[in-house]
Amino acid sequence: MIEQYEYEDQRYVEDVNDTYEGDDLGITMQSASCSFKVWTPKASEVQLLLYPPSTDGSPEEYSDRSGQLKPKVIPMNKQAQGIWHVEMSGDWCGYRYMIQTTFGDGRREVAVDPYARAVTMNGEMGVIVRLEHTDPEGWKEDVRPELASPVDAVLYELHVRDFSIHPSSGMKYRGKYLAFTETGLLDSEGNSIGVDHLAELGITHVHLLPVFDFATVDEAQVDTSNSDRSNYNWGYDPLHYNVPEGSYATRADEPETRIREFKSMVMALHQKGIGVIMDVVYNHTFDTARSSFEKLYPGYYYRQWEDGTYSNGSGTGNEVATERHMVRKFIMDSVRYWAEEYHVDGFRFDLMGLIDTATMKSLAADLHEKVSPSILLYGEPWGALESPLGEGMTLKGDQRESGFAVFNDNFRGAIKGDSDGAGTGFATGAEGAEENVWVGVRGAITDFTSAPTETINYVTAHDNLNLWDKVAYTQGLEDTLGFISYDEDGSVKGCDNVQQAVQQASPYKQVEAGHVLENEMVRRCLLANGIVLTSQGIPFLAAGDELLRTKFGDANSHESGDVVNAIRWEYKKQFKPVFDYYRGLIRLRREHPVFRLRTRGEIEQSIRLLEQDKGVLAYELFGTASGDSWKRVIVAYNAAKESRALSIPSAQWHVVVEQGRAGTDIIRTVVGGELSIPAISMTVMYCS
């Protein structure tokens, strides 16, 4: 049977007789044997190359006459559907292995098994492990937090190393998975830091930047090098999709350690009631010609143009052909493996536009049916450059009624303006942005969603300027605050290096101690994320926003090192009122379902516009449909530099958010008539 995939500029023909449906690719461990299966239908010969666990004291059969390590070569047997297989009796735990393929034209390749679940340092070889030996104590009792609806989530995007690497964290396992297991940590004023800080803040899920094994950090040097760029990367350079990154483990040279410590991190977060989202990068790989995919089946795993050249919709040199049967299967197998073996609670898909919509729909259906309906799926509904996938791309609107959500960049731009420059949005001083904000507040149901469960609402993420720095640019303060700028060759302008530039910067120069909430930049930051946390949909925060985190104006810090990226925990005591405001808004959202409406019908029934003009957007929420104890709620945003008067219905209104204070406790009571909304702020009030 032949299956065809049509693109704008190419037609690819796939023989479905060479596709495999089994769930046992890679290694299957039995009590007294080990089975290997690899899919490479065009190979004429396949061999398993087996190496001992260590070069020290290796048996003679693994050494040549000069004493150099050589593999034991084991022929694999060809089966139907493109499968090559061999089964060996005995205990092979700890042994390293590779797959050697020979093709009809004489080409010979040696590859790491793409289904490998453990690898050596820097991912050079696969390793045989029994996964049950990697479970930390209590793992079998670990329980994932359940969600009644995606809108009940409050997402917090975080890089593993950023979380703990700064000396102010006071952590033993700085930069490691195990930092998330450290509890009871306090700053000099008794404020919680680390994982206790996350629990106190009230977020429901930590969204981790890529934690699968990626290519560009040297796992052997990560704890010894002082270079900014040799030990740091965001991780959007996939090497092995089914193995945790080794640089975040205490011992990258011990294959089981990174697995056990990753699980320990997940369990520690679950014990705090916090789920774990993995940022996954199935749209491209770090390398093309040297990737295991290309070595095992040349030309199959990557999209090409009609002339045979590899397409580059990712902007990184290749794009994975997700619509092809065995590529789709690999992605689905991989995601399900993380959800089941590691108890991961959700997945964020990088450049999801390059993943075909059929694959995304299949993923969502499979995970929700076979693992848990609580698993969250969302991604970026765009690509980077032109792709032959064409109409098959997963863009805004393609997620409708399909069990996954997309980032709402329309709302993002309406709130803050552009991502890297001085362009303004509603919260940063633009005029005429109220209507676009109003569309986002209602869960984008008049834009591209069928329900608020399909929109990820945010103003900033790891990409581009972070929130504090973006607001500074809109106010023209980047030079005053000493932000970093770069020459065309990548060198830092006016400084010898990045560290010197950071030391000379003064990002909080205009924030007066004791009067933090009176500062205009602070108020604009609080207004921006205040809109996110009170709107319908799934709110998403970038780590450190609640601490006024700065990256010193670095808009692309993917390899800028710890000096730019590390979370500085001393900011918590410096900006405690800001943290308290975020915590109060999250509590307000989580305790009152009127802010978490689940359907288009509930939104149409429960939200009424009150004012939309001259920097003011105000609306009324009715709590009946959601079963909220608050019968009516008024939310008012004022982005103007002066207070504004708002006519309100006649009733006794209890103010719970105003002037930098937020939560569910009553601040004051207002009788209907007219409400004064302070400049650059948000007011929330209710009546029973």
Side-chain angles (χ1 to χ4, degrees):
M1 178 180 177
I2 301 296
E3 193 167 294
Q4 295 183 344
Y5 302 97
E6 293 188 19
Y7 308 132
E8 291 179 350
D9 298 291
Q10 175 204 10
R11 173 171 292 185
Y12 177 79
V13 180
E14 179 169 53
D15 187 348
V16 180
N17 292 321
D18 279 341
T19 61
Y20 182 66
E21 300 298 336
D23 60 0
D24 56 352
L25 288 172
I27 295 177
T28 301
M29 302 290 286
Q30 305 295 341
S31 59
S33 66
C34 185
S35 172
F36 299 80
K37 277 189 179 180
V38 61
W39 183 77
T40 173
K42 301 303 180 184
S44 59
E45 184 179 12
V46 180
Q47 296 162 321
L48 175 69
L49 307 183
L50 199 62
Y51 300 82
S54 169
T55 57
D56 299 329
S58 298
E60 290 185 5
E61 63 181 307
Y62 292 99
S63 301
D64 60 20
R65 291 179 180 178
S66 64
Q68 295 295 311
L69 185 68
K70 66 182 181 69
K72 182 174 183 176
V73 180
I74 303 168
M76 299 186 75
N77 304 308
K78 188 170 186 179
Q79 298 182 333
Q81 299 177 299
I83 295 296
W84 293 78
H85 171 255
V86 68
E87 184 167 350
M88 302 187 304
S89 59
D91 184 4
W92 298 93
C93 279
Y95 277 70
R96 296 164 290 170
Y97 75 105
M98 299 287 281
I99 304 297
Q100 181 170 275
T101 53
T102 305
F103 297 92
D105 60 1
R107 172 179 173 179
R108 175 170 286 181
E109 299 283 3
V110 176
V112 178
D113 176 10
Y115 275 82
R117 295 175 174 180
V119 294
T120 58
M121 183 178 287
N122 288 322
E124 294 177 351
M125 291 183 176
V127 179
I128 303 168
V129 298
R130 288 193 180 275
L131 288 167
E132 61 269 25
H133 294 170
T134 68
D135 294 347
E137 185 178 353
W139 183 245
K140 286 183 171 56
E141 290 71 48
D142 179 62
V143 178
R144 73 172 76 247
E146 297 296 329
L147 278 179
S149 170
V151 297
D152 294 340
V154 179
L155 309 176
Y156 185 91
E157 184 196 47
L158 178 62
H159 185 274
V160 168
R161 187 175 174 94
D162 293 356
F163 177 65
S164 58
I165 196 64
H166 196 267
S168 62
S169 75
M171 297 183 196
K172 177 181 178 181
Y173 298 106
R174 287 170 50 198
K176 306 299 182 184
Y177 298 124
L178 290 182
F180 290 87
T181 70
E182 299 185 57
T183 59
L185 299 174
L186 304 172
D187 66 16
S188 60
E189 294 186 4
N191 297 307
S192 63
I193 57 179
V195 71
D196 293 335
H197 166 91
L198 301 180
E200 182 187 13
L201 181 60
I203 53 102
T204 67
H205 291 75
V206 166
H207 160 149
L208 296 174
L209 268 66
V211 283
F212 50 70
D213 190 48
F214 51 84
T216 51
V217 170
D218 184 352
E219 296 173 355
Q221 300 294 325
V222 68
D223 296 322
T224 59
S225 172
N226 293 320
S227 168
D228 285 338
R229 299 191 175 198
S230 66
N231 60 6
Y232 188 92
N233 202 286
W234 283 343
Y236 293 95
D237 48 344
L239 187 59
H240 301 303
Y241 283 106
N242 297 318
V243 183
E245 165 61 19
S247 66
Y248 301 146
T250 58
R251 293 289 300 269
D253 59 337
E254 296 176 349
E256 290 187 1
T257 296
R258 65 176 75 188
I259 300 174
R260 184 177 299 107
E261 292 179 353
F262 188 104
K263 290 178 176 179
S264 296
M265 172 187 66
V266 172
M267 187 166 65
L269 286 163
H270 284 177
Q271 288 170 349
K272 292 290 185 180
I274 299 172
V276 177
I277 308 288
M278 276 184 66
D279 197 329
V280 289
V281 189
Y282 293 107
N283 67 84
H284 72 271
T285 61
F286 172 69
D287 203 344
T288 309
R290 290 178 293 177
S291 73
S292 294
F293 288 154
E294 186 71 359
K295 288 180 177 181
L296 292 174
Y297 195 159
Y300 179 80
Y301 284 90
Y302 299 100
R303 295 186 186 117
Q304 303 93 34
W305 294 111
E306 194 172 41
D307 63 3
T309 59
Y310 288 99
S311 58
N312 186 27
S314 67
T316 60
N318 62 61
E319 55 181 297
V320 173
T322 63
E323 67 285 352
R324 298 177 187 172
H325 186 94
M326 292 300 289
V327 183
R328 178 180 296 166
K329 174 178 170 54
F330 176 84
I331 295 171
M332 292 183 65
D333 288 348
S334 178
V335 170
R336 181 129 171 232
Y337 172 67
W338 285 105
E340 294 182 331
E341 179 64 32
Y342 288 93
H343 302 181
V344 168
D345 304 285
F347 302 89
R348 175 267 193 191
F349 291 84
D350 179 65
L351 295 183
M352 189 174 67
L354 298 179
I355 301 176
D356 66 290
T357 308
T359 293
M360 284 306 308
K361 290 181 177 180
S362 296
L363 273 169
D366 187 65
L367 287 171
H368 291 154
E369 177 185 350
K370 297 177 182 177
V371 182
S372 170
S374 291
I375 287 182
L376 291 171
L377 298 169
Y378 56 96
E380 297 176 303
W382 51 76
L385 300 175
E386 185 181 7
S387 169
L389 184 57
E391 294 182 359
M393 295 179 71
T394 303
L395 307 176
K396 286 194 294 287
D398 293 326
Q399 84 296 328
R400 287 189 178 99
E401 299 181 353
S402 296
F404 62 95
V406 298
F407 282 96
N408 190 341
D409 57 326
N410 298 349
F411 198 18
R412 176 193 68 185
I415 295 173
K416 73 168 183 179
D418 61 31
S419 291
D420 284 336
T424 55
F426 176 83
T428 50
E431 297 180 358
E434 297 87 0
E435 172 58 30
N436 289 333
V437 173
W438 177 232
V439 172
V441 163
R442 290 175 293 159
I445 59 170
T446 60
D447 190 358
F448 62 85
T449 73
S450 62
T453 53
E454 297 170 3
T455 173
I456 303 293
N457 298 332
Y458 73 120
V459 284
T460 50
H462 65 278
D463 279 322
N464 310 112
L465 291 169
N466 72 341
L467 182 56
W468 181 258
D469 297 352
K470 166 60 186 174
V471 172
Y473 268 85
T474 65
Q475 305 301 306
L477 295 172
E478 61 273 18
D479 292 335
T480 300
L481 303 183
F483 280 175
I484 300 169
S485 58
Y486 294 91
D487 288 317
E488 290 185 3
D489 63 0
S491 61
V492 183
K493 288 183 179 178
C495 295
D496 295 335
N497 52 48
V498 173
Q499 185 168 356
Q500 186 184 76
V502 167
Q503 290 171 344
Q504 293 180 7
S506 183
Y508 308 110
K509 183 177 182 178
Q510 297 188 329
V511 182
E512 185 179 351
H515 300 278
V516 172
L517 296 178
E518 297 171 21
N519 178 267
E520 181 179 341
M521 281 183 62
V522 173
R523 293 166 75 92
R524 292 198 182 280
C525 287
L526 298 187
L527 177 58
N529 269 328
I531 295 170
V532 167
L533 288 167
T534 50
S535 292
Q536 304 301 322
I538 305 167
F540 173 104
L541 303 172
D545 278 357
E546 76 283 8
L547 308 176
L548 299 184
R549 181 188 187 186
T550 181
K551 292 187 180 180
F552 309 94
D554 192 329
N556 185 22
S557 66
H558 73 283
E559 58 178 11
S560 298
D562 301 329
V563 67
V564 167
N565 289 288
I567 292 176
R568 290 159 164 77
W569 287 98
E570 68 264 25
Y571 289 168
K572 185 167 185 180
K573 60 185 178 183
Q574 186 175 352
F575 303 123
K576 184 61 161 47
V578 173
F579 169 81
D580 290 338
Y581 187 79
Y582 274 86
R583 180 182 61 173
L585 284 184
I586 292 171
R587 179 185 175 190
L588 172 72
R589 180 180 184 87
R590 292 189 64 180
E591 291 187 7
H592 289 280
V594 74
F595 296 103
R596 297 178 280 112
L597 303 176
R598 300 182 184 181
T599 68
R600 180 189 187 103
E602 287 181 0
I603 289 174
E604 292 173 337
Q605 178 184 348
S606 304
I607 303 181
R608 178 174 71 97
L609 181 66
L610 296 177
E611 182 71 43
Q612 180 185 297
D613 190 32
K614 297 180 180 179
V616 173
L617 176 64
Y619 57 94
E620 186 172 7
L621 294 157
F622 301 94
T624 304
S626 60
D628 203 309
S629 60
W630 292 354
K631 297 297 185 289
R632 299 167 71 184
V633 179
I634 287 178
V635 180
Y637 312 126
N638 180 14
K641 289 190 175 183
E642 58 278 337
S643 62
R644 291 288 172 82
L646 174 69
S647 296
I648 57 175
S650 179
Q652 189 177 62
W653 296 95
H654 304 297
V655 178
V656 292
V657 177
E658 188 176 54
Q659 288 281 66
R661 296 173 63 186
T664 57
D665 296 331
I666 297 173
I667 298 171
R668 65 189 181 98
T669 299
V670 179
V671 177
E674 189 172 89
L675 173 71
S676 178
I677 315 167
I680 313 176
S681 73
M682 175 174 70
T683 299
V684 178
M685 56 188 185
Y686 75 92
C687 64
S688 301

